[in-house]
Amino acid sequence: MRAPLQQIETSGQLPQAADAVVIGGGVVGVFAAYYLARRGMKVALVEKGRIGAEQSSRNWGWCRQQNRDARELPMATRSLDLWERFAAETGEDTGFRRCGLLYLSNDEAELAGWARWRDFARTAGVTTHMLDSAEAGERGRATGRTWKGGVFSPTDGTADPSQAAPAVARAILKLGGSVHQNCAARGIETEGGRLSGVVTEGGTIRTKVAIMAGGAWASSFCRQFGFRFPQASIRSSILSVSPGAEGLPDALHTARISATRRGDGGYTLAISGRGRVDVTPQQLRFSSQFVPMFLKRWRSLAPGGLEGMRSGHETLQRWRLDHPTPMERMRILDPVPDQATIRLTHARALELLPDLRRTKISAAWAGYIDSTPDGVPAIGEIQTVPGFFLAAGFSGHGFGIGPGAGYLVADLVTGSEPIVDPTSYDPRRFDAPAWGKVADF
């Protein structure tokens, strides 16, 4: 794979039974398993490839409240606390730091939108500072430019995508849970209408609870037992540069380029929202539900190719549980980065932040960002299969809110008071159109 990622040693033989089985070893899946294990449950996590190898290691690493949609803001706020608590609880290092996030702009409409969000955020107890031209120029002095204004959110931060999910997986093992890499979940079994087991390539684990946290694979998996989960993916391409630049903000966003300091002193560079639409059978199936999303985001999207077809994550195929599945043929979604985007991203970064000329490109990669029709994740129990919980469709926001999402899953599974109101995440909302409901940020 192209994206940097820590390797970890995980469990061997599958357990015959577990209190809960988590399907998918991305940041949401590992945190769900971690919080279930902390509550004394016997947890098994199965991952078809490597822990954190798909979108959880391919993102910017931002853990933000700033500019969150109102439906996600409470979870974002709780997640920041949970990122900090996790390190204290386990001694494991996810690279999380409250370094603050800086937004700069010369667009009056953009600044007005940020000011409106600031006013809303105050009602939720979130602190964010609008910057005037002088303040923006001072905080953005590495650009050498004059700015009309900006935003600084001091309590937000970043974590390291290359080490976060592996760190949480190690914590699960310390709590007595089991974590199984290169072990694809093929489907589920039921008895009396309720979940009774998860079928994997290595055997069946008897359980009354399963959590699908498989990211871009979630919809095709749910299709196997007749649940319709509208999901579509965008191929996003980003790059990293070597250490060497000095005096840059830890996390900077502008309309043309965004930069994030990595744990090794280098930077991740990206163009926010830019992506390729690789046509797939699943995308065509759900196209009508994604019209509101497309109309809102089309300026950032461009036609792709057949990469998605070859990857197999959005197939309409039905597969047998006693034969290899598409997940076993594609252990890790590692799509080819769009070289035009990589070149443009690098050129814009060097123009905006001249000190980056002292660095070199160290890696470039792409990932599939799975989205729901309204851009808000689906978290909740599937009513047609009691005991089966969905936690997917995080629409490019999942890394930062991964701890809160995992905690909420554990609450729903155990019947505890939810850490946040789960109503906005209920998968049943997809029975209605998304017009007027697409996330603003």
Side-chain angles (χ1 to χ4, degrees):
M1 59 181 287
R2 300 170 178 86
L5 178 65
Q6 285 186 358
Q7 294 196 45
I8 61 169
E9 294 293 325
T10 48
S11 311
Q13 187 173 358
L14 285 173
Q16 292 184 342
D19 296 326
V21 175
V22 177
I23 302 167
V27 70
V28 174
V30 293
F31 270 115
Y34 170 74
Y35 287 117
L36 287 169
R38 278 187 62 84
R39 299 179 196 206
M41 295 184 70
K42 180 182 178 182
V43 178
L45 185 150
V46 294
E47 162 56 47
K48 62 181 176 51
R50 290 172 55 192
I51 295 296
E54 295 189 341
Q55 200 53 31
S56 291
S57 60
R58 296 164 189 265
N59 60 85
W60 304 3
W62 283 32
C63 305
R64 63 179 173 89
Q65 299 167 102
Q66 179 67 42
N67 288 348
R68 285 280 186 190
D69 185 86
R71 290 162 288 187
E72 288 186 352
L73 182 58
M75 185 178 288
T77 300
R78 299 303 299 269
S79 291
L80 286 166
D81 295 335
L82 293 172
W83 278 110
E84 286 185 324
R85 282 171 48 188
F86 174 80
E89 290 168 353
T90 67
E92 295 286 350
D93 182 14
T94 63
F96 176 74
R97 298 180 304 128
R98 287 191 190 250
C99 58
L101 307 181
L102 175 64
Y103 293 63
L104 299 173
S105 180
N106 282 316
D107 185 288
E108 294 286 1
E110 188 171 43
L111 290 168
W114 293 346
R116 286 193 299 271
W117 189 91
R118 183 268 318 271
D119 294 341
F120 151 71
R122 283 174 175 166
T123 68
V126 175
T127 300
T128 186
H129 302 303
M130 292 297 300
L131 308 176
D132 61 23
S133 180
E135 293 167 329
E138 174 59 25
R139 287 195 176 274
R141 58 187 176 276
T143 68
R145 298 188 180 191
T146 299
W147 298 93
K148 288 185 178 180
V151 175
F152 184 67
S153 51
T155 58
D156 289 351
T158 63
D160 191 335
S162 70
Q163 66 187 67
V168 183
R170 288 192 296 267
I172 296 167
L173 295 172
K174 291 178 182 177
L175 290 171
S178 63
V179 179
H180 308 272
Q181 297 181 107
N182 294 305
C183 181
R186 292 177 173 175
I188 62 173
E189 292 182 345
T190 60
E191 291 180 6
R194 295 189 60 87
L195 184 96
S196 61
V198 173
V199 181
T200 80
E201 62 180 291
T204 299
I205 306 174
R206 311 313 305 175
T207 186
K208 294 182 179 180
V209 172
I211 298 98
M212 163 44 66
W217 296 89
S219 183
S220 60
F221 186 94
C222 290
R223 177 175 168 78
Q224 304 309 305
F225 57 89
F227 179 72
R228 187 179 187 277
F229 172 40
Q231 185 182 37
S233 298
I234 300 300
R235 176 163 50 101
S236 175
S237 300
I238 64 178
L239 66 109
S240 63
V241 294
S242 61
E246 301 291 340
L248 276 61
D250 286 324
L252 169 66
H253 168 78
T254 71
R256 289 179 58 79
I257 195 72
S258 297
T260 311
R261 183 177 176 84
R262 300 180 64 85
D264 63 0
Y267 279 82
T268 296
L269 307 174
I271 300 175
S272 180
R274 190 180 182 94
R276 293 276 181 180
V277 181
D278 293 334
V279 64
T280 66
Q282 181 175 292
Q283 195 174 83
L284 296 174
R285 180 193 183 204
F286 296 129
S287 58
S288 63
Q289 287 188 255
F290 279 87
V291 170
M293 172 74 75
F294 179 76
L295 292 176
K296 196 162 189 174
R297 309 280 170 84
W298 68 270
R299 291 179 180 83
S300 300
L301 304 177
L306 299 178
E307 186 84 8
M309 291 279 199
R310 290 189 289 266
S311 296
H313 61 294
E314 292 189 349
T315 180
L316 297 183
Q317 174 187 348
R318 302 271 188 171
W319 55 72
R320 291 174 51 177
L321 302 188
D322 59 349
H323 281 65
T325 66
M327 288 90 73
E328 291 149 81
R329 291 189 288 273
M330 180 61 67
R331 294 284 179 182
I332 296 172
L333 282 176
D334 190 22
V336 176
D338 176 36
Q339 291 303 319
T341 296
I342 297 300
R343 290 191 296 270
L344 179 63
T345 302
H346 194 227
R348 286 185 178 184
L350 297 184
E351 179 186 14
L352 182 69
L353 300 164
D355 212 53
L356 287 175
R357 297 183 185 279
R358 301 168 57 187
T359 70
K360 296 181 180 180
I361 294 178
S362 54
W365 61 87
Y368 279 113
I369 298 175
D370 62 301
S371 180
T372 61
D374 58 10
V376 175
I379 306 173
E381 188 173 19
I382 303 305
Q383 301 301 308
T384 54
V385 185
F388 186 88
F389 292 78
L390 183 61
F394 281 80
S395 307
H397 308 159
F399 184 79
I401 62 174
Y407 203 104
L408 176 59
V409 168
D411 287 338
L412 296 176
V413 167
T414 59
S416 304
E417 180 71 23
I419 188 173
V420 295
D421 184 352
T423 305
S424 296
Y425 310 118
D426 193 326
R428 289 175 293 184
R429 73 184 190 275
F430 301 123
D431 293 337
W435 293 104
K437 303 173 185 175
V438 178
D440 290 326
F441 299 101

